[in-house]
Each structure stands twice: as structure tokens, then as C-alpha cells.
Amino acid sequence: AVCGGEINKDAGQIQSPNYPDDYRPSKVCIWKVMVSEGFHIGITFQDFEIEWHATCSYDYLEIRDGLTEYSPLIGHLCGYEKPEDIKSSSNKIWMKFASDATINKAGFAANFFKDKDECSKDNGGCQHECINTFGSYVCQCRNGFMLHENNHDCKEAGCEHKLSGAEGMMSSPNWPDKYPSRKQCTWNISATPGHRVKVTFNEFEIEQHQECAYDHLEMYDGPNSKSPILGRFCGNKKPDPVVASTNKMFLRFYSDASVQRKGFQAKHSTECGGLLKAEVRTKELYSHAQFGDNNYPGQENCEWVILAEDGYGVELIFQIFEIEEETDCGYDYVEIYDGYDSTAPRLGCFCGSG
């Protein structure tokens, strides 16, 4: 395969050098791709195998939304899983493949093609937001609304939300416009077992009252409003990040008949570690919040304290175990102590894939 160059056509394939055999060491290839004016560029990967590193510092494929190395970054990629499909915001893309002096893999093969911008004319006929997809587009409604049966218009939605996953966004109804009067909305957030729910506010503006008796947001440390309350908030001051003690948090927003404000926008994420209760029924604990979807991230330091009732011991049964291997477990590891903290007798320090 040609190692880089300018490509001016509406469809084709780009491959790492020497593909499908292992790419060469110390290689750098740069492609500049342009399709017809008025179109986006879509990229799909058929094969992808580039030496893995937590920050892709060794071998990598870099893709930028434009024709230079200073254009907005779309992806800095490595590893052994095919990346999601990629779409540019214009008719130009810059791609760079680089390998260092050691460890060579099969590389990548990707197809590129022009894709029409259906949202550029009359917002695609969408009442709220128009989002381009590969070969088509979809209409999307603002928070507090749902898509009409005609798939273009929006109608007011219910206000009970169930959220899961490692992270996501949430906001008051009708955001970023003022929230409506006489509204009550709830968010039930669940995270991976062993990881605490965290909510961080980006913007916050709710009718002010000394005791938040009018419009307000309540947050609970558990799955419902019977759980211990974490706080009741109103006014214009952003609350500090709120962290639950477990993997569940419940929020309830209330507005009365008068005075509407902008509301709030927040991000829910996770904090690893915490206090867990061992019971007779087996419960689960995962190393990281995106277990099963992604490898654990770098620079993690998580501590769990697992307590059982008096008279009972705690048993750990590992179903899956794959941690970077090193003779003395000096890099990544899980360490287990027979007590409340690291001053207790150590039961073991483990790594590898055994």
C-alpha cells in the first residue's frame, strides 16, 4: 500500500504500510483526503490491530477534521478493537499512522466515502435538532421532549429518567430554555457495582429561597427518596460535586406555579472504591466502571472496604482476572488485606491473567 499522499476521490480504501502483513518499524505515513464539496467523509474500519498503550504513545493512528496536523482531533487510536465509524464535519480529513522501533502488528484497513449533509437544508425538516448519520440523518429533541411518530416533530415527554453507564449528561426539563412551571422530574442513576455515582454540575440556576421551599433539586444517597438525603439545592450557586456512598443515586426536581429559571445541566460519572457490605447472597464487584466495554484506565488507585456482619468472614471469588503481568506485580496489581486498611495482614498481591 502507498504510505500516505493526497487522495482526491469520493471513495476508496486506506491501509497501513505492508498490510495485511505486520507494518514496518519506525514508519510514518500521512494521508490528506478530500471528497466533493458539500459532503462529509465517512470512515469505517475493516481491520484494526495497532500496538496497545494506555495513551497510544507508541504506535498509533491519528485522524483530524481538516487537512493539517493542527485541525481538530477526531481520534488518536491504537489497540486491538475496531474503532467506531468516524464522520468528519467537512469534506476534508488528515490521517497519520506512526510506528516506533519495536513491536509490529497487522495494522489497519479502512474504507472512506463521501456522505451527504442532509441537515444543511432546512435543518432536515427537524423541529429541534438534526444529526447526520452514515447515509442518512435523524431528528433529535431537546431535553424534556420526545420524538413524534412522524420522526421529525417533538412533543413533551415524561419526566422519569433511568440512567446507567459509566457517565452521561442530564439536565432540567426544556434545557437550555427555562424549565416549565408545575413540573416534577426524577432521575434514577445506577452505576457499575463497586463504583460510587458522582454528579458534577456545569450550570445551575433555580429560583432562590433561603430554605429552597419553592423550586428545588433534591439528591438522595440510594435508589429512591426514602434513601438518606445528600442535599436540597436552589439559587444560582453551583453545588459542589456530589458523590453517593454506593452505585445508586436518586434525584428529584420540583417547580411550583410561578417564577421559572434556566435550571441545571450536570454530568453523572463514577468514583471507584468505597464501603461495601458482604451478605450471604453473592454480590459483584468490578475493577472499573466500563468493565466489559473497555480495558481499565491508567493512573487508577481504588480502595474498597468490604464488611460482613459480626461472626462472618468475607470471601472473594474471582470470575475474571486479567491485569498487566510483571514478576513482582510492580506495575498494575490488586492487593488484598485481612482487615480494615493496609496496616492489616496482607493476604496477597496479584497480577497477570491466572
Side-chain angles (χ1 to χ4, degrees), residues 16-284:
S16 52
N18 211 40
Y19 180 86
D21 297 323
D22 289 356
Y23 51 76
R24 307 293 190 198
S26 303
K27 197 77 174 176
V28 176
C29 309
I30 294 176
W31 296 268
K32 296 180 179 181
V33 184
M34 290 184 63
V35 299
S36 303
E37 287 283 351
F39 288 85
H40 297 288
I41 299 176
I43 296 178
T44 59
F45 289 91
Q46 281 65 58
D47 198 6
F48 195 89
E49 186 180 322
I50 295 176
E51 179 189 5
W52 184 85
H53 180 262
T55 58
C56 297
S57 297
Y58 302 150
D59 303 348
Y60 61 86
L61 175 66
E62 186 171 292
I63 303 176
R64 292 185 175 271
D65 200 356
L67 282 185
T68 75
E69 60 183 310
Y70 306 107
S71 300
L73 181 67
I74 295 177
H76 189 76
L77 311 171
C78 66
Y80 311 118
E81 294 184 7
K82 284 196 297 185
E84 297 287 330
D85 293 342
I86 287 172
K87 188 182 182 101
S88 69
S89 66
S90 70
N91 68 324
K92 305 176 183 68
I93 270 185
W94 184 90
M95 298 176 66
K96 175 183 177 181
F97 171 78
S99 63
D100 62 11
T102 63
I103 305 182
N104 312 126
K105 299 295 183 181
F108 72 91
N111 288 332
F112 71 89
F113 54 90
K114 69 176 184 180
D115 195 25
K116 188 177 180 182
D117 183 1
E118 289 92 349
C119 295
S120 61
K121 184 178 180 182
D122 300 327
N123 199 37
C126 300
Q127 184 177 358
H128 286 180
E129 298 176 27
C130 179
I131 299 174
N132 277 292
T133 61
F134 279 99
S136 186
Y137 72 101
V138 294
C139 297
Q140 184 172 288
C141 300
R142 293 195 298 268
N143 184 62
F145 293 84
M146 60 186 297
L147 201 61
H148 192 274
E149 287 78 8
N150 63 17
N151 293 323
H152 285 79
D153 298 326
C154 297
K155 59 184 180 181
E156 191 170 3
C159 218
E160 295 180 357
H161 308 275
K162 290 187 181 296
L163 307 177
S164 60
E167 61 181 33
M169 301 301 297
M170 50 192 291
S171 55
S172 51
N174 209 34
W175 176 271
D177 298 324
K178 291 182 178 180
Y179 53 77
S181 61
R182 303 180 189 275
K183 200 74 176 175
Q184 182 165 294
C185 301
T186 61
W187 293 262
N188 196 318
I189 309 174
S190 297
T192 306
H195 298 264
R196 296 165 290 158
V197 174
K198 178 180 180 180
V199 172
T200 306
F201 292 92
N202 300 322
E203 295 193 47
F204 195 89
E205 186 184 318
I206 294 177
E207 180 186 7
Q208 174 67 46
H209 182 266
Q210 186 173 355
E211 298 174 355
C212 297
Y214 303 145
D215 303 348
H216 59 264
L217 175 68
E218 293 174 331
M219 305 177 70
Y220 294 89
D221 191 11
N224 52 50
S225 58
K226 295 180 181 178
S227 306
I229 191 165
L230 292 166
R232 183 177 174 122
F233 305 98
C234 64
N236 297 329
K237 182 183 176 182
K238 276 196 305 185
D240 292 331
V242 179
V243 182
S245 64
T246 69
N247 66 321
K248 296 186 184 298
M249 186 187 288
F250 182 80
L251 288 79
R252 180 166 60 195
F253 170 76
Y254 169 82
S255 66
D256 61 15
S258 64
V259 185
Q260 290 84 49
R261 295 287 187 254
K262 190 174 183 179
F264 69 88
Q265 185 196 56
K267 176 184 178 181
H268 70 87
S269 57
T270 60
E271 291 268 311
C272 67
L275 183 63
L276 305 177
K277 183 180 179 182
E279 300 174 349
V280 175
R281 177 178 60 88
T282 301
K283 299 166 74 173
E284 294 176 322

Side-chain angles (χ1 to χ4, degrees), residues 309-339:
E309 293 181 22
D310 287 344
Y312 288 85
V314 177
E315 182 179 42
L316 285 176
I317 305 168
F318 289 94
Q319 258 95 44
I320 297 175
F321 195 90
E322 186 181 318
I323 294 176
E324 181 184 10
E325 187 160 6
E326 197 266 337
T327 304
D328 299 318
C329 295
Y331 300 147
D332 302 348
Y333 59 85
V334 57
E335 204 164 20
I336 302 173
Y337 295 89
D338 190 12

